[in-house]
Amino acid sequence: ISNSKELNTKQPSSWLNCMGSPKKMNNSQAGSKIPMLPKSDPTYLVLSRVRYLLTNPKELPPHHILFSNSECIAVFCKTGRWSTLQASILLYSSAAGNFKTVILSSAGIAGATTTVTVPATGIAGWFGMTTTASVSLISVQPWLIPVLAGYGLIAVGTPIILALRAKDKWERATKHLTDGYWAAAESDVYVEAIKSWSNLE
């Protein structure tokens, strides 16, 4: 790393272990457990990760729109974590939107009625006369119940399963890239990282 000013830059750290920098929280943040986006690591560490990926492109996971895209590379260089906020928002918002659709569809079908022909009451019925009546659509078409249940499981479950799978792949990629990065890091990177994370002058 050639720029000494960059090495001496002190910025807030983000992560607590060698998969990034230690995350700093004040007392109110620590007690509230409010989810927060990670802050960028110090400039020298970001640039060092960029150089590592440029020097070792084969270490990058194969491209995938959800599991390994360009945002993942940017997030890893800035924070030391391999992940993509866009994919997370897409998957979880899709699950929430599909859940709402399933609820509204179920409520609509449950409240729907249909007209059927039934035997007339009283003496007229003895002579084969009929009349019409409104009944629940579910009572006439009971096969709609398993269809709705299956649609709900697929529509809501699929994005959630993909999100959990993506999280697992992100964690594996983070560990793989972090292990490779620190194994190849120069000694001055370790020194400056310790100074920054420890708030040493």
Side-chain angles (χ1 to χ4, degrees), residues 38-200:
K39 296 180 181 179
S40 174
D41 283 329
T43 304
Y44 75 89
L45 190 55
V46 175
L47 296 177
S48 180
R49 290 195 187 108
V50 172
R51 294 190 185 99
Y52 170 74
L53 294 182
L54 290 175
T55 306
N56 303 276
K58 293 184 179 180
E59 297 296 324
L60 291 172
H63 181 270
H64 190 280
I65 191 171
L66 297 178
F67 308 143
S68 177
N69 54 36
S70 57
E71 185 187 6
C72 293
I73 298 176
V75 172
F76 174 77
C77 292
K78 294 287 284 183
T79 69
R81 298 289 299 181
W82 185 268
S83 63
T84 163
L85 184 62
Q86 293 177 351
S88 298
I89 293 175
L90 172 65
L91 293 173
Y92 284 108
S93 61
S94 297
N98 291 343
F99 180 75
K100 179 180 178 181
T101 301
V102 170
I103 294 298
L104 293 177
S105 300
S106 301
I109 293 177
T113 59
T114 185
T115 301
V116 295
T117 301
V118 296
T121 59
I123 298 176
W126 289 90
F127 292 97
M129 300 181 68
T130 60
T131 185
T132 58
S134 294
V135 297
S136 171
L137 180 61
I138 293 294
S139 64
V140 179
Q141 306 288 350
W143 56 268
L144 290 174
I145 297 176
V147 169
L148 285 173
Y151 170 72
L153 289 174
I154 295 174
V156 179
T158 300
I160 293 178
I161 291 174
L162 286 175
L164 294 176
R165 183 182 176 190
K167 182 179 179 181
D168 179 66
K169 286 183 175 291
W170 295 339
E171 290 177 351
R172 293 186 182 185
T174 298
K175 185 178 186 306
H176 173 74
L177 291 173
T178 301
D179 289 345
Y181 167 73
W182 286 111
E186 300 292 338
S187 58
D188 56 346
V189 175
Y190 281 91
V191 173
E192 293 300 327
I194 293 173
K195 288 182 179 179
S196 176
W197 298 344
S198 304
N199 291 325
L200 298 176

